[in-house]
Amino acid sequence: MITCFIRYEIDPFKKDRFEEYSRNWGEAIPRNGADLIGYFAPHEGSATTAYGVYNIESLAAYEAYRARLAADPLGRENYELARRERFILKEDRIFLKNVSLPHAKLVLP
């Protein structure tokens, strides 16, 4: 299992458009085979940094997933939304492996 971290630089005056984009991926990504952890928009600190995070089995599975996502009606619509509205200024993608598993149970004070 690998985790894809997408770092976005967004237009701070179009954060609401990024949030719409994120909600759309909340439907389309799981439907097309990736385990979505979530999309995260600025709250405090930087007004321009956002993230999308999901798990996928392998890079080969990622390639097949991306093809399904591009063919998905909501996926196509979402790509068009981003192109048309230009709220994403920059996008970087990295794949990481979680090497700290298994984790201990959370202990509350």
Side-chain angles (χ1 to χ4, degrees):
M1 184 69 64
I2 56 176
T3 303
C4 179
F5 290 82
I6 308 167
R7 181 182 183 276
Y8 296 96
E9 181 182 333
I10 63 170
D11 182 331
F13 300 104
K14 296 181 179 180
K15 187 173 103 170
D16 59 330
R17 301 307 283 172
F18 180 79
E19 290 174 1
E20 176 186 356
Y21 173 83
S22 299
R23 285 188 300 275
N24 290 342
W25 285 140
E27 291 182 35
I29 287 174
R31 180 171 63 223
N32 285 282
D35 174 26
L36 181 63
I37 295 168
Y39 270 74
F40 302 86
H43 176 70
E44 187 68 31
S46 171
T48 60
T49 302
Y51 292 91
V53 184
Y54 60 88
N55 294 312
I56 194 120
E57 189 60 36
S58 65
L59 288 176
Y62 170 76
E63 293 301 328
Y65 152 79
R66 291 284 291 185
R68 288 189 304 273
L69 197 60
D72 182 274
L74 183 56
R76 285 194 312 268
E77 194 176 301
N78 222 26
Y79 288 129
E80 176 57 26
L81 172 68
R83 188 199 63 74
R84 183 180 64 248
E85 298 292 328
R86 300 188 183 277
F87 51 86
I88 298 172
L89 307 176
K90 186 177 177 184
E91 180 178 332
D92 295 307
R93 195 174 260 99
I94 186 170
F95 295 89
L96 301 174
K97 181 178 177 183
N98 188 339
V99 296
S100 64
L101 294 173
H103 299 150
K105 291 189 184 249
L106 175 65
V107 177
L108 298 176

